[in-house]
Each structure stands twice: as C-alpha cells, then as structure tokens.
Amino acid sequence: MKFGKFKPWNEWKDHIDGTEHYQFHFENGYGASVIRGPYSYGGPQGLYELAVLRKRRKYWEITYDTPITSDVLGNLEVDDVVKALEDISRLADDYDLLHKSFVDHDGNVVFVD
C-alpha cells in the first residue's frame, strides 16, 4: 500500500491478529513504522499508528528523540501518515550531529552513539 508518494520498503500482515505493518526507510537515515491493528492506537477505528525509526549501524530502531515526536503518533488518518512521512523524510542529516555530539577540549568533534 502506498501512502501518498511513499511506497513501503517492506510490508506484511500478521497472520495471528491481522495487524498491518509498513516500514519506510529514507536516505537521511530516518524512517517510519506504520501499523494498523486491534492493539495499535486507533487501529480498532481503522486508523494508523506511526513510530519514527533511525538507522543504527545495520538495524532500524524506534527513536523518541526527533522534532516529529517524542513518542508514537496514534489515531492517524492516511493524510496524517503522509504528512508525518514527508516530515521524517526531510529531517536534516545533521540532527544527530547537533544533538548527539560534542567538541572535546582539543577541538575534536566526538559522536555519542
């Protein structure tokens, strides 16, 4: 399923509870997990839940440290999901540089992982 111009990198449906899963990855190192199911925020009403992802080495993990949200976004209509995906795809590559690094006493930039 596409959300606006965004096609999922991976999608599947849970064979036990029917939860729909859509995963998006963007070139800036961020992505999104979008789900809809009986236990997601808004799922029983046919709405979606979205979590922001960040690539950490070779794995994608949920991150709670972005300007998009500090939690998951729930009760989303399709248009809300598209807007969130647009925002995530435009997050600056240097967000981590600004928020997860420091300059040591020798003037070297040190990255915190």
Side-chain angles (χ1 to χ4, degrees), residues 21-109:
H21 298 259
Y22 306 94
Q23 195 170 81
F24 300 85
H25 298 166
F26 302 113
E27 290 183 13
N28 62 357
Y30 288 93
S33 171
V34 178
I35 64 171
R36 177 171 64 176
Y39 307 109
S40 61
Y41 292 114
Q45 296 79 35
L47 303 174
Y48 294 93
E49 176 184 312
L50 181 145
V52 179
L53 303 177
R54 182 74 170 133
K55 187 170 186 182
R56 301 279 183 220
R57 293 182 178 84
K58 62 181 181 175
Y59 299 104
W60 292 82
E61 302 174 348
I62 294 176
T63 180
Y64 300 101
D65 186 25
T66 69
I68 308 296
T69 184
S70 59
D71 199 351
V72 298
L73 301 172
N75 301 296
L76 302 176
E77 299 278 352
V78 171
D79 290 344
D80 300 321
V81 173
V82 171
K83 170 75 168 88
L85 292 173
E86 288 172 353
D87 292 345
I88 295 165
S89 72
R90 287 195 296 256
L91 282 173
D93 289 332
D94 60 358
Y95 183 78
D96 274 347
L97 175 63
L98 296 173
H99 294 91
K100 305 244 174 143
S101 63
F102 62 91
V103 177
D104 68 13
H105 65 280
D106 293 324
N108 300 309
V109 176

